[in-house]
Amino acid sequence: MVGTALKPRQKAFVTAMASSNSIQEAAKKASVTVRTGYNYLANPTIKSAIRELQRRKMFEMTSRLNYASDIALNVLLGIMNDVKNNAQIRSQAAMFIIKASQQAFEDDDLAMRIERLEQQEERKEKYLRG
């Protein structure tokens, strides 16, 4: 939900910013001046609404990429396991799978470490607040 406390033009600007290449483009889409667009960006509520909308879009894109990755992996597995294919092609598919697996493991490990650090920071802040 795009910032319920926002006015209609502000909501239009937030939506436009999440899908535009520039403030100028977003301002035009939202029917506001570029100066107004910059003023909107100085508003923490509007900035937060833009970030939230961008996060949701990124989550949707990531979900779609995960789905496509499953299909792509099946294609690579098919190429790798098909003895009719040239050995070099089969080994390239295998190497790509190995590298992608390693990268996925490293990304997951990094995400877990960041999550732990964030949790520690939250506990520290709660402790300091009393």
Side-chain angles (χ1 to χ4, degrees), residues 59-127:
F59 179 80
E60 290 172 14
M61 186 174 68
T62 301
S63 295
R64 292 178 65 203
L65 284 170
N66 284 336
Y67 173 74
S69 293
D70 287 342
I71 295 169
L73 178 58
N74 286 332
V75 169
L76 286 171
L77 288 169
I79 291 168
M80 182 183 76
N81 291 325
D82 188 348
V83 294
K84 295 177 190 169
N85 286 330
N86 177 306
Q88 183 178 0
I89 291 171
R90 293 175 64 210
S91 66
Q92 285 175 342
M95 285 304 300
F96 187 84
I97 291 169
I98 290 169
K99 286 181 183 179
S101 296
Q102 288 172 333
Q103 186 66 52
F105 179 79
E106 289 171 7
D107 291 350
D108 188 54
D109 184 56
L110 186 59
M112 286 187 339
R113 288 177 180 196
I114 290 170
E115 188 176 328
R116 265 188 268 135
L117 287 171
E118 288 173 343
Q119 289 170 352
Q120 288 173 353
E121 188 64 24
E122 283 178 30
R123 286 192 298 270
K124 180 179 167 184
E125 286 177 14
K126 285 180 185 177
Y127 175 78

Side-chain angles (χ1 to χ4, degrees), residues 6-7 15 21-22 29 37-38 40 45 48-49 51-52 58 64 66 75 77 86 89 94 98 103 110 117 123 126 130:
L6 301 178
K7 296 175 184 173
T15 302
N21 294 320
S22 66
K29 286 180 182 179
Y38 278 105
Y40 284 168
T45 303
S48 177
R51 277 194 209 102
E52 180 58 32
M58 188 58 71
R64 292 178 65 203
N66 284 336
V75 169
L77 288 169
N86 177 306
I89 291 171
I98 290 169
Q103 186 66 52
L110 186 59
L117 287 171
R123 286 192 298 270
K126 285 180 185 177

Side-chain angles (χ1 to χ4, degrees), residues 13-14 17-18 41 46-55:
F13 181 75
V14 166
M17 271 304 291
L41 288 176
I46 293 174
K47 280 180 98 167
S48 177
I50 292 168
R51 277 194 209 102
E52 180 58 32
L53 189 55
Q54 289 171 331
R55 261 188 225 103

